[in-house]
Amino acid sequence: MIDTWGRAAVRLLRRQAAPVTYALIATCCAVFLLSPVSGLNPAYGTGETLVAAQRAYFERWGVVPVELLSGKPRAALTLVTALFVHGSWLHLLGNMLFLYVFGVMVEERMGHLQYALFTVGCGALALLGYAIAHAGSPGTLVGASGAISAVLGAFLHLFPKARVTSLFPFLFFLPLRFPAWVVLPFWVALQWVAASQQKQGPGVAYLAHLVGFGLGFCYAWGRAGRPSTVKSSGTATEGDSQP
């Protein structure tokens, strides 16, 4: 009996393993900690020297729309490198929380290789969509937000009835549990409103979120199969801590 339970536990752990999600989280965290943005690497100095290093770091590895659309080969690579660069501790931790909560189940459903290609591909296309909409912008765009938004879109199609614990700021951050088909469309509506009010310039790339979410939902609808009836729960936030 013990051996039977042991084999069942091993099968369950294997079935629920999400190596791609964990690898993405580990890579983003490692890149951030070693970068000048974390402030923990003494090689980048302090004060104005550190600020200059951070600026150069974003310009080298982030997407600069005006350079990307000029056709420079090196600039095209930033559609991938920018996914692993984050602008602050809050930016990193918020994105990794969303990726952990929603990515594990989507990876399990899609399969590891398909999920990896899906996440990176949709993330790059989300950044490209933002760059096209802001073709003349010299600002830099960094972060895995577009890719994670694609994961949210896929999650909505694959697990619409999964209950997600969310914190809504206008409800005094009370933890409430709602199905994904309630929480995620509400999140999209927030992104839409914010994107429509945002002027070109530094800030959150809400348009990249919308593009990524739409790509993820459409991909899951066309390729990843029918929605699941599994009602797994997760924890995420709605409001300021968004990808």
Side-chain angles (χ1 to χ4, degrees), residues 83-125:
L83 297 175
F84 300 94
V85 176
H86 290 81
S88 67
W89 283 95
L90 183 61
H91 189 200
L92 172 72
L93 295 176
N95 274 354
M96 295 307 99
L97 171 63
F98 272 78
L99 181 58
Y100 174 75
V101 169
F102 295 99
V104 172
M105 291 176 64
V106 174
E107 179 179 351
E108 179 184 351
R109 182 64 180 272
M110 286 189 177
H112 307 314
L113 179 59
Q114 182 181 185
Y115 173 78
L117 296 175
F118 158 79
T119 304
V120 175
C122 287
L125 290 175

Side-chain angles (χ1 to χ4, degrees), residues 65-82:
V66 68
E67 292 186 4
L68 176 65
L69 299 179
S70 69
K72 297 179 181 179
R74 190 198 67 81
L77 294 178
T78 61
L79 289 173
V80 175
T81 60

Side-chain angles (χ1 to χ4, degrees), residues 161-209:
K161 296 182 180 180
R163 303 190 72 84
V164 180
T165 302
S166 302
L167 302 178
F168 294 89
F170 55 84
L171 293 178
F172 304 101
F173 293 97
L174 295 175
L176 302 174
R177 298 183 70 225
F178 293 101
W181 66 265
V182 173
V183 175
L184 294 180
F186 179 77
W187 177 84
V188 171
L190 291 178
Q191 305 304 299
W192 182 272
V193 171
S196 64
Q197 296 178 350
Q198 186 179 45
K199 297 180 180 179
Q200 184 171 330
V204 180
Y206 295 108
L207 180 59
H209 298 176

Side-chain angles (χ1 to χ4, degrees), residues 122 125-130 146 149-150 206-216:
C122 287
L125 290 175
L127 294 176
L128 178 61
Y130 180 92
S149 297
Y206 295 108
L207 180 59
H209 298 176
L210 293 171
V211 173
F213 189 92
L215 289 172

Side-chain angles (χ1 to χ4, degrees), residues 6-24:
R7 289 198 299 269
V10 170
R11 287 196 299 269
L12 180 62
L13 289 173
R14 288 177 177 175
R15 184 178 69 85
Q16 294 183 339
V20 176
T21 297
Y22 300 145
L24 290 173

